[in-house]
Amino acid sequence: MAKCAFIGLGIMGYPMAGHLAAKGHEVTVYNRTAAKAEQWAKQHGGRAAPTPRAAAEGAEFVFLCVGNDDDIRSVALGDDGALAGMAEGTILVDHTTASADIARELDAKATEQGKHFIDAPVSGGQAGAENGVLTIMCGGEQGAFDRAKPAMEAYGRAVTLMGPAGAGQLTKMVNQLCIAGLVQGLAEALNFGIRAGLDMDKVIDVISKGAAQSWQMDNRAKTMVQGKFDFGFPVVWMRKDLKICMEEANRNGALLPTTALIDQFYHQVIKAGGSRWDTSSLIHNLRLLD
Ligand SMILES: NC(=O)c1ccc[n+]([C@@H]2O[C@H](COP(=O)([O-])OP(=O)(O)OC[C@H]3O[C@@H](n4cnc5c(N)ncnc54)[C@H](OP(=O)(O)O)[C@@H]3O)[C@@H](O)[C@H]2O)c1
């Protein structure tokens, strides 16, 4: 069992840190809104620290799960940042969905100080975090990955090293690009079925046993038909992710014409008040036209 720090107790981080404690690791947490850290410590029997640096002191593994690149900088760098508290040889694991650039930047900073860095974005959503069955895509050195993998398996079902620093974030970008296109296709198809007057529960039951099946169909199609979006992966996070993908594509030359369009459709959802709605809310744009 290891001494761990977990920084960022949001929808994802709170249950992930809980799984670490449940496995018997000694966990110290930090959260910007301190009340959440106090609540976590009370619930899971760990300790709450006043700064990321204080949380990281004495830890072999320091995990982050915050919002975006700037948030990572504010908890990892500077006098009160996690890196300042970490000892040589220890490992910083970042579960935030962020750019490949910030992963490379933190990897360089950690290496300079004799520490290690792994970018490790996750897929599986709130339910995956709560049930401890996340998919974790990692970038970094093999040695650091091998050491950190058993700890990540407290909340990860598939934990895979994809390549050097940044490769985890690049893999997550591929994941988000797949989802965006698929959800728009599903939204158009379901809206078509509704307008055709079909029994959509029946349609979904039948076609989900054939080639149209997908995770989105199994987990989201029925709520899309019902117009229920008050759960799941928020649209604002998806727009953040698509922006990262499009910036990376500008560098690597990949064309993302459909993604650019879907990003605009998500913008429309936000304008309709859906910034915290699940990404399946793309169908809302189409239903509005009825
Ligand atoms: N939610 C999902 O289904 C899901 C799925 C896969 C991946 N992700 C990714 O996982 C990451 C976290 O998502 P989430 O849903 O857990 O987000 P969330 O519920 O909004 O939590 C964000 C966490 O980061 C902290 N934070 C944000 N900015 C900060 C800053 N500048 N300084 C210090 N702490 C800061 C927040 O602290 P406060 O409590 O003080 O606000 C909170 O603990 C994101 O990158 C997201 O894209 C999310």
Side-chain angles (χ1 to χ4, degrees), residues 51-66:
T51 62
R53 177 187 182 140
E57 277 164 1
E60 182 180 358
F61 305 112
V62 178
F63 301 95
L64 308 181
C65 190
V66 291

Side-chain angles (χ1 to χ4, degrees), residues 8-13 30-33 36 65-68 70-71 74-75 95-97 122-126 172 232-234 237 240-241 276:
L9 302 172
I11 288 175
M12 301 299 283
Y30 165 82
N31 196 67
R32 178 178 58 181
T33 307
K36 248 194 249 175
C65 190
V66 291
N68 58 28
D70 287 342
D71 302 334
S74 74
V75 295
H95 289 305
T96 312
T97 303
V122 304
S123 171
Q126 182 175 2
K172 173 76 182 184
F233 183 61
W237 273 166
K240 169 205 38 127
D241 296 355
R276 301 299 301 179

Side-chain angles (χ1 to χ4, degrees), residues 18 21 39 66 79 110 135 171 200 204-206 219 234 241 254-255 282:
Q39 184 194 328
V66 291
D79 284 352
T135 295
T171 305
M200 290 310 291
I204 293 162
D205 286 346
V206 169
N219 293 280
D241 296 355
L255 294 179
L282 280 176

